Amino acid sequence: MEPVSEKEIRASFVNCSKGEASRLTLPTDFAETPWPDLDFLGWRDPKAPERGYAVTWRDGKPVGIALRASSGPRKSLLKSSICSVCVTPQSGSGITLLVAPKAGAAGRQGNSVGLYICADLACSLYVRGKKTTVLARRLEESLSPQEQNARTLRNLHGFVDQVLAG
């Protein structure tokens, strides 16, 4: 992923107000972001853990979406799930339903879309083997690492398209 400045990140959000975007908390280690290892920048808000954010490049510009964790019951640590973005198996608590308001008028009317994704939004690092899950394994796949990265980005972009289709 191409590096994105703080100003570009705050201006990129399509499904929250400019005020909300200006108040969001960037990752605590933002200055050390490993840009070459990322397909998208995703993080949970350190000051409001039920909030998450994802920023990706679309058509030559960054596009950000604001997310909220579902308030449903926590999943069992004994059961595993697979992330809809990076296809990484995780223990039940490693995958969460994150919900994004749709962009524009639809979002202001309360319409939203959801996605089961790695709770820490570190999909790119799991795909590249830079981070491991509690299960400490990824599925063996016939796809090359580059194809897995492309799939991760394609899956995220599909979700972003649903948010933009307000």
Side-chain angles (χ1 to χ4, degrees), residues 40 83 85-86 88 117-118 120-128 152:
F40 67 94
C83 175
V85 173
C86 66
T88 298
I117 189 169
C118 294
D120 60 3
L121 297 166
C123 297
S124 301
L125 300 178
Y126 292 120
V127 169
R128 287 174 171 78
T152 298

Side-chain angles (χ1 to χ4, degrees), residues 3-164:
V4 185
S5 71
E6 178 179 345
K7 184 177 179 181
E8 288 174 310
I9 287 172
R10 293 185 189 285
S12 74
F13 284 89
V14 296
N15 67 340
C16 68
S17 71
K18 288 182 182 182
E20 290 169 318
S22 70
R23 291 186 300 273
L24 68 83
T25 305
L26 290 174
T28 52
D29 57 352
F30 181 69
E32 292 85 40
T33 301
W35 297 108
D37 292 329
L38 299 180
D39 299 307
F40 67 94
L41 176 63
W43 75 99
R44 296 294 284 268
D45 192 321
K47 292 184 180 175
E50 75 283 355
R51 294 178 190 241
Y53 308 98
V55 177
T56 186
W57 283 92
R58 296 295 303 266
D59 302 322
K61 64 180 184 174
V63 174
I65 55 173
L67 305 156
R68 276 200 185 265
S70 169
S71 59
R74 300 292 282 176
K75 292 185 178 182
S76 167
L77 288 173
L78 302 175
K79 295 182 181 178
S80 63
S81 298
I82 294 180
C83 175
S84 298
V85 173
C86 66
V87 193
T88 298
Q90 298 251 16
S91 68
S93 63
I95 301 289
T96 192
L97 175 61
L98 291 179
V99 177
K102 287 190 154 224
R108 289 188 294 277
Q109 293 173 356
N111 295 326
S112 61
V113 291
L115 181 73
Y116 285 96
I117 189 169
C118 294
D120 60 3
L121 297 166
C123 297
S124 301
L125 300 178
Y126 292 120
V127 169
R128 287 174 171 78
K130 306 277 181 176
K131 192 170 184 177
T132 59
T133 69
V134 172
L135 301 176
R137 65 174 172 81
R138 280 195 41 88
L139 300 172
E140 283 199 33
E141 298 188 62
S142 59
L143 296 177
S144 71
Q146 294 79 14
E147 291 170 323
Q148 291 177 39
N149 295 342
R151 177 189 57 205
T152 298
L153 201 51
R154 197 170 45 250
N155 290 343
L156 180 72
H157 284 180
F159 182 66
V160 170
D161 290 344
Q162 290 178 357
V163 171
L164 292 171

